[in-house]
Amino acid sequence: ISLQELMQSKFGYNRTAITEFILLGLVETPELRPVVFLVFLFAYLVTVGGNLSILAAILVEPKLHTPMYFFLGKLSVLDVGCITVTVPSMLARLLFHKHTVPYGACLTQLFFFHLLVGVDCFLLTVMAYDRFLAICRPLTYRARMNQAVQRILVAVSWALAFTNALTHTVAIATLNFCGPNVINHFYCDLPQLFQLSCSSTQLNEMLLFAVGFIMAGTPLALIITSYAHVAAAVLRIRSAEGRKKTFSTCGSHLTVVAIFYGSGIFNYMRLGSAKLSDKDKGVGVFNTVINPMLNPIIYSLRNPDVQGALWRVLKGRRSLA
């Protein structure tokens, strides 16, 4: 018997328009739910605490008042937003043993998730451009990356991401949902909703690929181009120590880019599969929990300036306590 048949026999459905979805969550075994609750509560607190600590360090340390750390601070806020859109609602369902989510709330979660992830995508591109200017155009760096330019780049990132998120939300709202309403996931996203639609999703999937190519492919191409120029500039440095020091500022960013795009491509390039499996839950956990939790660790691990600022923030808290 298939998973879909099991869900249909367990929850039932008719051909009328549905008003709510049923999220199965990460686990269906009742005994495992308290463990999952504690693990994800811990992950949420660590992620929020880590990213807000990075933000506090950037605000209080004058050495970190540079364009690179200005963008990193914005990225930390986005990471808190990304995990807050999905995890607290999942924890609430585990705590109160409630699986249903209203249709409107599902689309709202979809919109804000794609909005924040979209801004994340564009900010990573802006950070690559910042590294390109700092390393390849050092004499004009301050003029080209002044505060007005920084604010404009952030505003444009939000505008493009808002357009992308609104496009997908409006497109999914045009679909009919009249059959099964069970989502084998812990949050609402496009692949899972496509599977439940009674109407054809061909146009929606084409839209996802087309917009995805523009909104994700173009930034990725710009990141690769920026770092190709950076790599060429670094290789022209004669001393090994100079090359290492120059490129060390890029290593953390490249790691975050690789994780972000790797998990995102795997998640959205599998729309043609016959059914979505538990692997998609794993990718979802990676996108919504692991990525935001790893970012502050990655950016502080090999950065003595951030480590020093974090230590002073912690010391300041201890002295106040």
Side-chain angles (χ1 to χ4, degrees):
I1 185 169
S2 68
L3 174 63
Q4 192 67 31
E5 289 169 338
L6 278 171
M7 292 190 294
Q8 290 171 12
S9 62
K10 184 175 181 180
F11 297 103
Y13 65 90
N14 54 36
R15 300 299 296 178
T16 60
I18 62 172
T19 59
E20 63 183 17
F21 294 103
I22 297 168
L23 289 168
L24 293 183
L26 283 172
V27 292
E28 295 183 64
T29 308
E31 292 78 11
L32 291 176
R33 286 171 187 164
V35 177
V36 172
F37 178 86
L38 291 174
V39 168
F40 277 80
L41 177 62
F42 176 76
Y44 179 73
L45 295 175
V46 167
T47 301
V48 173
N51 281 288
L52 292 183
S53 296
I54 291 283
L55 183 62
I58 291 169
L59 291 174
V60 303
E61 178 56 63
K63 285 171 64 177
L64 301 183
H65 293 173
T66 64
M68 182 175 75
Y69 292 108
F70 171 79
F71 296 128
L72 179 57
K74 303 297 182 188
L75 197 67
S76 295
V77 174
L78 285 171
D79 286 336
V80 172
C82 282
I83 196 170
T84 301
V85 166
T86 56
V87 171
S89 58
M90 183 195 76
L91 294 175
R93 285 191 295 273
L94 285 169
L95 189 63
F96 298 109
H97 307 289
K98 183 181 178 182
H99 294 282
T100 58
V101 56
Y103 174 85
C106 190
L107 263 60
T108 301
Q109 184 182 57
L110 174 78
F111 170 79
F112 280 105
F113 178 71
H114 281 267
L115 171 66
L116 295 171
V117 170
V119 181
D120 210 329
C121 175
F122 290 115
L123 267 187
L124 289 174
T125 310
V126 169
M127 292 171 77
Y129 176 64
D130 172 74
R131 291 299 82 207
F132 162 75
L133 289 180
I135 295 171
C136 301
R137 305 287 187 272
L139 297 179
T140 58
Y141 174 62
R142 288 182 179 275
R144 291 191 183 190
M145 194 55 78
N146 57 49
Q147 288 189 351
V149 172
Q150 293 169 40
R151 294 192 184 100
I152 290 170
L153 288 171
V154 171
V156 170
S157 297
W158 276 98
L160 291 172
F162 177 84
T163 303
N164 176 54
L166 187 64
T167 299
H168 288 307
T169 307
V170 171
I172 203 79
T174 63
L175 297 178
N176 295 317
F177 296 95
C178 57
N181 64 339
V182 180
I183 299 175
N184 186 26
H185 214 292
F186 64 97
Y187 67 95
C188 296
D189 202 5
L190 294 173
Q192 290 73 33
L193 292 175
F194 286 167
Q195 291 283 313
L196 298 181
S197 174
C198 299
S199 48
S200 173
T201 61
Q202 186 175 2
L203 287 175
N204 295 75
E205 292 183 18
M206 288 173 61
L207 178 68
L208 178 60
F209 281 114
V211 175
F213 181 80
I214 297 169
M215 306 293 279
T218 304
L220 183 59
L222 291 173
I223 290 171
I224 292 171
T225 303
S226 296
Y227 276 109
H229 285 88
V230 168
V234 170
L235 290 174
R236 285 195 293 268
I237 300 173
R238 293 184 178 183
S239 68
E241 187 64 29
R243 286 196 297 267
K244 183 180 178 181
K245 184 178 179 181
T246 304
F247 202 71
S248 64
T249 60
C250 307
S252 301
H253 181 250
L254 280 172
T255 304
V256 171
V257 167
I259 294 172
F260 178 85
Y261 274 95
S263 58
I265 289 170
F266 184 84
N267 190 36
Y268 293 106
M269 292 299 109
R270 298 180 67 246
L271 290 176
S273 60
K275 64 177 181 178
L276 297 168
S277 65
D278 288 340
K279 289 181 183 178
D280 297 276
K281 293 183 184 181
V283 176
V285 170
F286 209 90
N287 285 333
T288 60
V289 181
I290 305 298
N291 276 358
M293 188 166 62
L294 284 179
N295 284 356
I297 299 171
I298 292 170
Y299 278 109
S300 62
L301 197 60
R302 297 175 60 188
N303 193 318
D305 291 335
V306 173
Q307 289 174 5
L310 283 171
W311 178 245
R312 280 185 284 278
V313 168
L314 292 172
K315 280 175 67 178
R317 286 176 179 171
R318 286 172 184 168
S319 63
L320 289 171

